């Protein structure tokens, strides 16, 4: 003997089937959202990394110019330039790291 009940015109088996279908749909939706979140994070970190790399390359290029002595006339300016630029490199790198977090 089997007992069947109906709620809103659905049998128990139809309701169970609908719940299982909804559960599969939720699982797929969670997978899609997780993938979108990963992709967004990946793109943001890659952008921050590229910006940091460009900044560091530019700063090292300028630092090389200062070390070689491009455009410097006195000995005090020859030492002051690399020191200031080195501080700028460190500050820029720290800023880029914090902006990526």
């Amino acid at each position: 003997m089997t007992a069947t009940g109906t709620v809103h015109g659905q049998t128990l088996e139809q309701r169970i089937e609908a719940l299982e279908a909804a559960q599969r749909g939720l699982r797929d939706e969670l997978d899609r959202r997780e993938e979108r979140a990963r992709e967004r994070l990946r793109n943001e970190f890659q952008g921050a990394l590229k910006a940091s790399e460009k900044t560091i390359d530019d700063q090292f290029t300028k630092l090389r110019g200062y070390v070689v002595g491009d455009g410097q006339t006195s000995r005090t300016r020859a030492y002051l330039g690399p020191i200031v630029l080195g501080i700028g490199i460190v500050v820029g790198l720290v800023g880029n790291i914090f902006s990526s977090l």
Side-chain angles (χ1 to χ4, degrees):
M1 224 173 124
T2 60
T4 58
T6 60
V7 176
H8 303 289
Q10 291 182 334
T11 64
L12 184 60
E13 288 82 17
Q14 290 171 335
R15 288 179 52 99
I16 290 173
E17 183 77 27
L19 285 172
E20 288 173 348
Q23 183 184 20
R24 285 190 300 270
L26 283 175
R27 191 178 307 130
D28 293 341
E29 179 63 25
L30 286 174
D31 289 342
R32 283 192 296 272
R33 285 181 183 219
E34 184 180 340
E35 185 58 36
R36 283 193 302 251
R38 282 182 185 162
E39 186 65 29
R40 187 178 309 134
L41 286 174
R42 188 178 303 121
N43 290 338
E44 287 179 16
F45 283 130
Q46 284 177 349
L49 184 62
K50 286 179 183 178
S52 297
E53 183 181 5
K54 183 175 179 351
T55 301
I56 290 171
D57 285 344
D58 291 344
Q59 291 173 345
F60 276 132
T61 301
K62 290 177 184 178
L63 181 62
R64 272 191 222 108
Y66 276 118
V67 170
V68 171
D70 293 343
Q72 297 172 358
T73 56
S74 69
R75 290 189 76 68
T76 57
R77 286 188 65 187
Y79 289 113
L80 182 62
I83 292 171
V84 170
L85 192 58
I87 292 171
I89 289 171
V90 171
V91 170
L93 179 62
V94 169
N96 285 330
I97 289 172
F98 279 114
S99 70
S100 68
L101 298 177

